[in-house]
Amino acid sequence: MVELEGWLPVLLAAVAAIAVARLLLRRSSFSSTLPTYGPFFLPPFVRGLLAVYRLGADEDAFLQGLKRDYGAAVYIPWPMKTTFVLSIEGIRSVYAAPRRVLNFYPIRREMQHTVFGAGPYWKDESIMDGSLFPLHARGMSKANLADSLVRVVDVLRVRVDELAYKVDKAPQGDVIVDLIKWTVETFYDATLAGFFGKEFLRQDGVDEQELYNAFNAFDKSFPIVASGMVPPSFLEKIPDVKKGREGFEVLTSTFERWMSDGFAGLDAGIIMVADMWASMANAPFMGVQLLLFLLQAPSDIRRDLLNEIDSSLQVPPAEQSTFSHFSQSFPLLTSCITETLRVGTSIFSARIVEEDFRIPAHGEYSEAIVPAGTRLLSAPRPHHLDDSFWDGTAKAWNGRRFFGAYANLARSVYGFGGGVSRCEGEHIAGAELKAFISLLFSAFEVELIPPPNSDNSIRRVEVIGGGGTALLPKRADGRVGMGAFQPAEGARFDMRVRRRRPLSS
Ligand code: HEM
């Protein structure tokens, strides 16, 4: 047996010596001002692992703790090796920085390869940065998506009509609908038809359910692969990643068959799947959260929203599926959507630091310099939850927060990210959410059937304006910084749907 007694004092002395050395050296860990995460007496890799563990265990607590303890920005050592930017001033300056200072394109190129498996062309700046990305951004402009929006609204109408048919056939005049499933599937159909045409799902050999399952398997594997923290040789051994790869093959071959031109080989399929993922990973789940908040909103908000929806229907039908209609006719719904983005998303916008980058001072914390040659993440979630910025009600949902004179405050919400990496689907996603809510609420009276109180798949969010608390599904694990919160597996909310009574009654 090893004699511990003699060794113990030596061991303690060594630990103490390391702690003192670190105390003296701690300010030089990166630059004179950028703090490093974790207790100073621990080696950097332990601090890094501690951060990974805490981020995974409770994302909100971890991010809010970072902002409370380090202010504007903090460096997280290996395995993340990244600076988190947390203050509103820092986030604004990240999104405003020019490409020569903070660069996103290498990260976007790399993702095309690591997540979507793009061929060697992914490294070619002239193809990717010079041609593909700008072409893609142009394709996603409002002008180019006008027809897509018409198709999205058409499919939403069909889904609402199908529901109306069931309601009319029900003996008691109402039906109970699985809210999460119905909303997600509705967005799935509308988005696929919107972006890829109604014919897409009608191709020979396409099984809608198989495609849906393939997408879900791929989406589930996405955070693990995109994190870049698992070595490629281990990745293939993770069951979710294996299933995700199989799902990805089903998706690419389906898109490949459907494409008649574009990039050669599998690559057209890859680009399409990337777009399918970007559009499907967020919008349906914003739809779920928005619908749940609106069903539990104070009665005055629901009344005003119905009035807004009814007046929106006064415009000629041909105008009802246009971007200008959706951006002008729904000021209250716009405010509710922005508020849902504020409380219902967590995003990380990544950048490579090309030149030393200054993060402005924040409150009692001084400015920080992020050194060139490193990576940073803008993480607006703790800002979205910061009471000092949001009138002491940051954790609550307030549907009127961005209404009327307060509309400009929406610029401080970053649910779509910001700067060069800002969501390219922002406009169509907003229009799709408005079309979804207005079509549903103009046809039906919808009532939430509260899930049992004991249900541990529920979380509660306070609602401003006499609304008490809203019940929402708990968040799915393992999707830190990935956008809209997805419901945890197995969460279920039902809604009772009946025909709306005529306006005069
Ligand atoms: C409410 C729904 C949506 C939310 C909350 C959302 C959010 C986001 C976020 C946070 C990002 C990354 C931003 C950053 O890194 O700074 C992003 C990127 C993107 N989103 Fe969305 N999104 C939504 C809907 C859509 C839709 C419907 C599309 C349609 C195709 C779309 C297409 C994209 C694309 C193409 C990118 C860029 C991907 C890249 O840089 O490689 N999004 N979105």
Side-chain angles (χ1 to χ4, degrees), residues 310 443 445 499-505:
D310 289 344
E445 276 173 15
R499 282 280 192 184
R500 222 178 125 190
R501 280 179 223 115
L503 284 178
S504 51
S505 68

Side-chain angles (χ1 to χ4, degrees), residues 482-502:
M482 296 290 296
F485 300 148
Q486 296 196 5
E489 229 165 285
R492 180 169 174 146
F493 282 71
D494 286 328
M495 56 183 179
R496 180 174 286 112
V497 180
R498 67 174 78 236
R499 282 280 192 184
R500 222 178 125 190
R501 280 179 223 115

Side-chain angles (χ1 to χ4, degrees), residues 170-193:
Q172 69 285 24
D174 63 36
V175 291
I176 309 279
V177 177
D178 179 336
L179 183 152
I180 298 177
K181 186 167 182 288
W182 187 78
T183 304
V184 172
E185 287 178 3
T186 298
F187 272 81
Y188 181 79
D189 283 0
T191 307
L192 280 187

Side-chain angles (χ1 to χ4, degrees), residues 218-398:
F218 174 61
D219 181 44
K220 199 167 179 200
S221 70
F222 191 96
I224 315 169
V225 182
S227 73
M229 279 193 275
V230 184
S233 47
F234 283 116
L235 268 179
E236 304 305 324
K237 298 193 172 51
I238 301 174
D240 278 350
V241 174
K242 256 182 90 182
K243 281 191 208 143
R245 296 262 197 249
E246 285 159 18
F248 184 76
E249 290 305 320
V250 173
L251 298 172
T252 40
S253 54
T254 308
F255 279 107
E256 192 58 27
R257 280 201 304 275
W258 172 76
M259 293 283 295
S260 53
D261 54 13
F263 279 66
L266 263 187
D267 292 342
I270 286 173
I271 290 157
M272 292 293 134
V273 177
D275 278 343
M276 181 188 184
W277 180 81
S279 57
M280 288 300 301
N282 283 298
F285 305 100
M286 282 311 297
V288 167
Q289 294 184 79
L290 178 66
L291 180 53
L292 281 168
F293 276 123
L294 294 178
L295 292 179
Q296 300 170 84
S299 55
D300 62 297
I301 289 203
R302 297 190 58 176
R303 182 201 58 218
D304 292 355
L305 197 59
L306 271 189
N307 288 337
E308 186 172 281
I309 290 170
D310 289 344
S311 355
S312 79
L313 297 172
Q314 306 302 315
V315 307
E319 279 173 38
Q320 287 177 21
S321 304
T322 60
F323 279 106
S324 66
H325 171 69
F326 287 114
S327 64
Q328 284 159 24
S329 307
F330 298 94
L332 181 55
L333 186 52
T334 304
S335 171
C336 294
I337 291 172
T338 310
E339 180 65 341
T340 308
L341 281 166
R342 186 184 69 81
V343 297
T345 58
S346 175
I347 68 141
F348 295 161
S349 307
R351 301 285 187 273
I352 293 189
V353 185
E354 305 280 7
E355 287 176 15
D356 282 4
F357 184 65
R358 192 181 74 88
I359 312 280
H362 174 72
E364 75 212 64
Y365 297 95
S366 52
E367 71 169 30
I369 307 291
V370 189
T374 61
R375 284 191 181 219
L376 66 72
L377 285 182
S378 158
R381 176 72 177 159
H383 152 67
H384 286 171
L385 295 180
D386 184 347
D387 273 336
S388 65
F389 190 91
W390 302 104
D391 263 352
T393 60
K395 280 142 207 100
W397 187 89
N398 175 0

